[in-house]
């Protein structure tokens, strides 16, 4: 992919976003929130495993 092709593609994407058009189905906010919570809890669990006082 060349630079002019990339610029053209990004320009088309930006022009579609200005008009409020969506390119497809948006993500479910409930599923996104649960996924983020699960990732954060996993990171918290990993962090606490490494921070044990021995």
């Amino acid at each position: 992919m060349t630079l002019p092709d990339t610029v053209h593609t990004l320009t088309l994407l930006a022009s579609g976003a200005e008009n409020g058009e969506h390119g497809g189905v948006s993500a479910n906010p409930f599923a996104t929130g649960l996924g983020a919570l699960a990732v954060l809890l996993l990171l918290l669990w990993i962090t606490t495993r490494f921070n044990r006082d021995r």
Side-chain angles (χ1 to χ4, degrees):
M1 184 175 249
T2 62
L3 184 60
D5 290 338
T6 305
V7 170
H8 179 67
T9 304
L10 290 175
T11 304
L12 287 175
L13 287 172
S15 67
E18 288 175 355
N19 297 331
E21 299 173 3
H22 294 287
V25 179
S26 62
N28 183 358
F30 185 71
T32 304
L34 280 180
L37 178 64
V39 169
L40 289 173
L41 287 174
L42 177 66
L43 289 173
L44 178 65
W45 182 80
I46 291 170
T47 302
T48 56
R49 298 303 106 194
F50 281 116
N51 279 333
R52 283 187 179 171
D53 291 330
R54 295 180 186 183

